Amino acid sequence: MRAIKLFLTFTGIILCAQITAQNEIKFHETTQLSIGETIKFQSKVLNQNRILNIYLPNGYAKDSLKKYPVIYLLDGSIDEDFFHISGLVQFGSFSWINMVPESIVVGIANLDRKRDFTFPTHNKKDKDDFPTTGKSENFINFIKSELQPYIDKKYKTNTIKTLIGQSLGGLLATEILFKNPDLFDNYIIASPSLWWDDESLLKYIPSLYSSKKSIFIAVGKEGKIMERTAKALYNKLNILKKENTNLYFEFFENQNHGDALHLAVYSAFEKIFIKEKNN
């Protein structure tokens, strides 16, 4: 009898251990979490491999007919702005928010942003502080002749393209707007480093464009030069503004150079896309 009790007790312990183990396995069961994909892109223009981080909207793979606008993000590395900007796009495209159309986000990862985002400078301090700079023309050519055609071929895109750039990325976005405006329909320019080359870009006469444009410029509490040049950019564009241009400026007095981008992009989405939807 005692042997039977010991056997039953031992069996119960084993069964409990098995059930507990099974529960633990189920509790720790994992599946892959994916919001898109990462692509290594061979650029002949830049003569180097570039990394693209791609956010795809919910339902992208299931809907074979729908085509999506594309948001191109400078500073689009995984450890830079890709995740939080993609999160804003996802949040803004929820049906109960309806602020942003469902969009593809293309994050362009950096190798040397000081080189890629700047045009040649005549300022000695600029050259000393940033010795690799001055190759923005190559990078713009890469966007125009390789990146955009590649994205349009690989993904289900429509014709609407948006560019987001902050700091030196904002400098590049401004250069593209002035010199190659039809590369994008919407420009979100946050905290642009327009001090570059003694503010020479502010003296440049922008190229003409015929298509509709929405341009959003923002700056935080970032010092006199950053604040003055951002406002000067807005004033310059406002003087040249045509009927087919929507132009916005916002000053974030409680943000600085490090944290203005997130609020700036959110505000830009509200103004650019909701206005387009209501027109």
Side-chain angles (χ1 to χ4, degrees):
M1 192 69 178
R2 185 170 180 274
I4 293 174
K5 287 182 179 180
L6 288 173
F7 174 76
L8 292 173
T9 300
F10 179 74
T11 302
I13 292 172
I14 295 297
L15 287 173
C16 288
Q18 289 177 340
I19 291 170
T20 301
Q22 289 174 357
N23 287 338
E24 287 181 354
I25 291 171
K26 288 180 180 178
F27 181 77
H28 288 95
E29 183 179 349
T30 61
T31 57
Q32 292 296 316
L33 173 64
S34 175
I35 66 168
E37 53 198 21
T38 296
I39 299 170
K40 182 177 285 188
F41 182 92
Q42 173 61 42
S43 170
K44 293 181 181 179
V45 171
L46 300 176
N47 192 29
Q48 57 191 195
N49 288 326
R50 301 300 299 238
I51 298 297
L52 307 176
N53 297 306
I54 312 295
Y55 164 78
L56 297 173
N58 294 334
Y60 175 88
K62 298 177 183 177
D63 191 338
S64 60
L65 298 178
K66 184 174 181 179
K67 293 188 176 182
Y68 299 85
V70 183
I71 297 172
Y72 289 84
L73 174 65
L74 303 172
D75 293 319
S77 300
I78 292 294
D79 59 352
E80 292 177 311
D81 298 330
F82 177 70
F83 277 128
H84 73 92
I85 296 300
S86 296
L88 279 179
V89 173
Q90 182 201 36
F91 174 78
S93 64
F94 286 147
S95 60
W96 58 91
I97 304 295
N98 201 22
M99 178 175 68
V100 185
E102 287 190 310
S103 303
I104 298 167
V105 179
V106 177
I108 310 169
N110 283 321
L111 290 180
D112 184 348
R113 67 194 299 272
K114 294 174 183 177
R115 174 196 64 204
D116 293 335
F117 294 175
T118 59
F119 51 86
T121 180
H122 299 89
N123 184 293
K124 185 178 184 304
K125 188 174 188 306
D126 291 347
K127 293 178 181 180
D128 291 343
D129 291 345
F130 308 103
T132 65
T133 54
K135 301 297 183 182
S136 62
E137 184 177 355
N138 286 352
F139 196 74
I140 294 170
N141 189 27
F142 156 70
I143 292 173
K144 178 181 179 179
S145 63
E146 289 186 321
L147 178 57
Q148 287 186 344
Y150 175 81
I151 294 299
D152 288 338
K153 183 177 180 180
K154 183 174 175 61
Y155 298 99
K156 296 178 289 187
T157 65
N158 64 23
T159 61
I160 305 301
K161 297 177 174 65
T162 299
L163 179 65
I164 299 175
Q166 185 260 351
S167 191
L168 286 177
L171 176 71
L172 179 68
T174 305
E175 184 182 0
I176 293 173
L177 173 63
F178 280 11
K179 298 178 181 179
N180 296 269
D182 288 327
L183 280 182
F184 298 94
D185 304 281
N186 306 312
Y187 289 83
I188 300 174
I189 301 171
S191 306
S193 298
L194 295 168
W195 49 264
W196 181 256
D197 188 34
D198 299 317
E199 305 176 19
S200 66
L201 195 56
L202 289 172
K203 305 168 189 174
Y204 188 88
I205 300 175
S207 299
L208 299 176
Y209 55 85
S210 57
S211 59
K212 181 180 177 182
K213 295 281 178 283
S214 289
I215 304 164
F216 180 93
I217 302 162
V219 68
K221 192 72 174 174
E222 304 179 40
K224 291 182 179 180
I225 294 176
M226 292 290 293
E227 294 166 31
R228 175 179 55 78
T229 53
K231 191 62 185 291
L233 174 61
Y234 169 77
N235 290 335
K236 181 183 183 73
L237 293 172
N238 197 37
I239 292 172
L240 301 172
K241 188 176 72 170
K242 301 179 181 180
E243 291 183 0
N244 63 344
T245 304
N246 296 318
L247 180 63
Y248 311 95
F249 177 84
E250 194 153 355
F251 174 56
F252 293 95
E253 62 180 350
N254 295 319
Q255 272 60 51
N256 57 38
H257 192 71
D259 65 357
L261 176 64
H262 198 275
L263 288 179
V265 172
Y266 189 95
S267 183
F269 284 169
E270 283 187 315
K271 291 177 172 61
I272 291 173
F273 294 112
I274 290 179
K275 184 174 179 63
E276 285 181 354
K277 183 175 61 179
N278 292 335
N279 285 345

